[in-house]
Amino acid sequence: MAYHTCSGEYLCFRNFAPNLMKKFNVPPTYRSPLISAIKQRRREADKLKKDFSPTLLDMGPLRIWLARHFGFCYGVENAIEIAFETITRNPGKRIFLLSEMIHNPQVNADLIALGVRFLQDTKGNQLIPFEELSKEDIVIIPAFGTTLAIESQLKDKGIETAAYNTTCPFVEKVWNRGEQIAAKGYTIVVHGKPGHEETRATFSRAAAHAPTIIVNDLKEAQVLGEFITGERNHESFSSIFSGQYSSGFDPVIHLSKIGVINQTTQLSSDTQAIAEYLKQLMIRHYELSSDQIALHFADTRDTLCYATNDNQTAVREMLATPADLAIVIGGYNSSNTSHLVELCEQHLPTWFIDAPERMISKQEIEHRRWDTKELQIHHHYLPAHSPLNVLMTSGASCPDAVVDAVMLRLAGFFGVEKELDRLANEWCS
């Protein structure tokens, strides 16, 4: 953005290595110097990450409250760095992405413009047959990871993927947790969206070590519970959970000892509710004392990534601020972004957009329903009173530059672009 005058860098902490800090080489077009400066100053003032209150950008008639945590996470920045460095270092080579690098339209469009081609869509449907690949080609594994079967196919083609594997370390952490409980004889219950790339990858890894089943939500977990207690006829299991359980899964045998892991971008409260429900069900069904729980239920704790937890906690804290509406920015097929929309919608009018152009005017906005996935145009979405208080956040795969552009467009509707200049100078000084 032209009105910004300073620069910033993104430092990220990994839960399992709290002293590790890494700077990523991400295209500057994805950065916002203003937002980088805000994040840097907030980090310096809150090194222990205990303050989740939002940041106020006061422009007079327009007041924007930015969530404490939002935007690119460690896994996304790592994936973007690897992808763009791969392109730079391999001129003339054919470069493929297994599927979308991350769930962000701008980033994926930029990669396509640089000649990268996608082998599959987000549902795993083949766009380019693997038969067309040769061992000279480069295939980048996206941040969600991939299945063992696909890894094997690429290996059989002689394609080296290790150097181009951008799987998020927090996703790998979930895979490791699943392997650990599988080694102790537990069946693995994966809380995730069955069609999501990450869930497919996690299911593949878990199923290689133990009987595994996917539950989409608490309702499905409750249905699974009815098979555990025998309230449902086991003959109906295959139709109810079609495509969501591993080969040879037998509900009579494999549901007596379970542990829960999850897709890292789910709502933390949903995963906790599912795990607690199944835990209490096992306690009642097997009449377990507190020291016997591990005989039938593995306490895996929450396997969400740090960014999902931080972003959701920041939104909950932000929602304590009186406001007129919320704007959530991110890719429409982004799971973690959809959950932020879901949280906000429970409290106030919320608009889910993936680009500033979705705000057609001060009167009209095109947003997407997080639940039905329907694009809708709404009129008079901005209340007429002053000052207008807007809560704002974005998903873990959304560039800060897009959030910046949304703020600039919104400021333009109120004629306060110069106020945004002033704030940029203050934060960047």
Side-chain angles (χ1 to χ4, degrees):
M1 295 300 136
Y3 58 83
H4 293 162
T5 58
C6 68
S7 61
E9 62 187 19
Y10 178 84
L11 303 180
C12 185
F13 299 81
R14 294 169 68 174
N15 279 355
F16 50 88
N19 295 320
L20 178 63
M21 300 171 65
K22 180 173 181 179
K23 302 175 185 179
F24 290 98
N25 182 22
V26 171
T29 52
Y30 297 152
R31 303 290 194 193
S32 158
L34 168 60
I35 292 175
S36 292
I38 291 172
K39 288 182 176 180
Q40 180 66 23
R41 195 176 297 184
R42 292 294 306 262
R43 278 193 298 271
E44 291 171 352
D46 179 33
K47 290 183 170 60
L48 297 180
K49 293 172 66 175
K50 292 184 176 181
D51 182 6
F52 283 84
S53 62
T55 301
L56 172 61
L57 298 179
D58 192 343
M59 291 169 271
L62 173 65
R63 305 172 86 220
I64 296 176
W65 299 83
L66 281 176
R68 170 67 175 88
H69 299 286
F70 63 92
F72 281 174
C73 63
Y74 180 99
V76 167
E77 295 230 352
N78 178 60
I80 290 174
E81 178 181 77
I82 292 173
F84 281 92
E85 284 189 356
T86 298
I87 294 168
T88 300
R89 294 176 180 177
N90 294 278
K93 275 203 169 187
R94 296 202 309 173
I95 300 175
F96 298 88
L97 261 167
L98 190 54
S99 63
E100 289 189 359
M101 167 60 58
I102 56 175
H103 286 160
N104 180 266
Q106 292 87 0
V107 174
N108 289 312
D110 288 346
L111 291 169
I112 291 172
L114 291 171
V116 176
R117 299 166 66 193
F118 291 170
L119 294 173
Q120 297 178 332
D121 65 16
T122 57
K123 298 297 183 183
N125 298 311
Q126 209 70 28
L127 301 175
I128 300 173
F130 286 152
E131 289 75 17
E132 293 187 13
L133 300 176
S134 71
K135 63 181 181 180
E136 286 77 26
D137 293 328
I138 292 174
V139 176
I140 302 172
I141 307 297
F144 314 109
T146 190
T147 66
L148 290 171
I150 289 176
E151 272 195 359
S152 179
Q153 284 180 278
L154 295 175
K155 183 178 179 181
D156 290 344
K157 298 287 294 183
I159 295 173
E160 169 58 45
T161 60
Y164 311 108
N165 188 343
T166 76
T167 303
C168 174
F170 293 97
V171 173
E172 292 178 334
K173 182 182 177 184
V174 175
W175 297 351
N176 293 336
R177 191 71 184 102
E179 186 173 348
Q180 289 167 7
I181 64 174
K184 297 178 180 178
Y186 292 95
T187 289
I188 299 175
V189 178
V190 181
H191 172 215
K193 299 173 182 176
H196 193 281
E197 298 103 312
E198 182 188 326
T199 299
R200 297 200 307 270
T202 296
F203 175 82
S204 167
R205 310 285 167 156
H209 300 285
T212 303
I213 184 169
I214 300 170
V215 293
N216 186 52
D217 50 29
L218 180 59
K219 184 178 178 180
E220 282 197 353
Q222 290 169 339
V223 172
L224 186 68
E226 292 173 357
F227 284 107
I228 293 173
T229 60
E231 295 172 70
R232 281 186 183 256
N233 188 321
H234 289 103
E235 293 178 358
S236 62
F237 179 84
S238 60
S239 59
I240 292 174
F241 287 100
S242 177
Q244 293 178 218
Y245 59 88
S246 57
S247 176
F249 195 103
D250 186 337
V252 176
I253 300 172
H254 297 139
L255 292 177
S256 63
K257 189 176 180 180
I258 62 175
V260 179
I261 61 175
N262 60 354
Q263 179 185 328
T264 61
T265 54
Q266 294 288 65
L267 270 179
S268 59
S269 56
D270 286 356
T271 297
Q272 289 162 3
I274 288 170
E276 186 62 23
Y277 164 76
L278 290 173
K279 177 182 177 180
Q280 294 303 321
L281 182 143
M282 299 301 259
I283 290 173
R284 293 192 306 271
H285 183 61
Y286 291 101
E287 299 180 345
L288 304 174
S289 61
S290 58
D291 60 348
Q292 294 176 319
I293 295 173
L295 294 174
H296 294 276
F297 186 82
D299 185 4
T300 57
R301 305 190 186 279
D302 194 0
T303 50
L304 292 180
C305 76
Y306 83 96
T308 298
N309 271 320
D310 285 353
N311 290 354
Q312 291 177 10
T313 302
V315 162
R316 291 187 179 98
E317 184 76 15
M318 180 178 70
L319 289 168
T321 301
D324 299 291
L325 66 140
I327 295 176
V328 181
I329 309 153
Y332 285 153
N333 57 346
S334 166
S335 175
N336 76 86
T337 309
S338 295
H339 288 311
L340 300 180
V341 178
E342 181 182 359
L343 287 174
C344 291
E345 269 194 0
Q346 296 170 10
H347 297 269
L348 76 173
T350 301
W351 311 108
F352 181 14
I353 62 176
D354 63 354
E357 293 76 23
R358 300 289 185 181
M359 295 187 295
I360 301 168
S361 67
K362 193 173 183 179
Q363 288 74 39
E364 288 186 325
I365 190 170
E366 182 180 45
H367 95 118
R368 193 187 196 199
R369 291 278 303 273
W370 70 269
D371 48 358
T372 65
K373 316 302 181 187
E374 179 185 3
L375 276 174
Q376 299 176 334
I377 291 191
H378 284 261
H379 303 275
H380 310 295
Y381 69 104
L382 297 178
H385 63 80
S386 179
L388 183 70
N389 285 282
V390 178
L391 307 182
M392 190 173 293
T393 190
S394 71
S397 55
C398 180
D400 284 347
V402 178
V403 178
D404 192 307
V406 169
M407 291 195 299
L408 181 60
R409 190 171 183 86
L410 195 57
F413 293 155
F414 292 85
V416 292
E417 298 96 322
K418 290 184 178 180
E419 285 298 298
L420 202 51
D421 287 339
R422 176 183 62 79
L423 290 168
N425 290 330
E426 287 181 3
W427 279 97
C428 294
S429 61

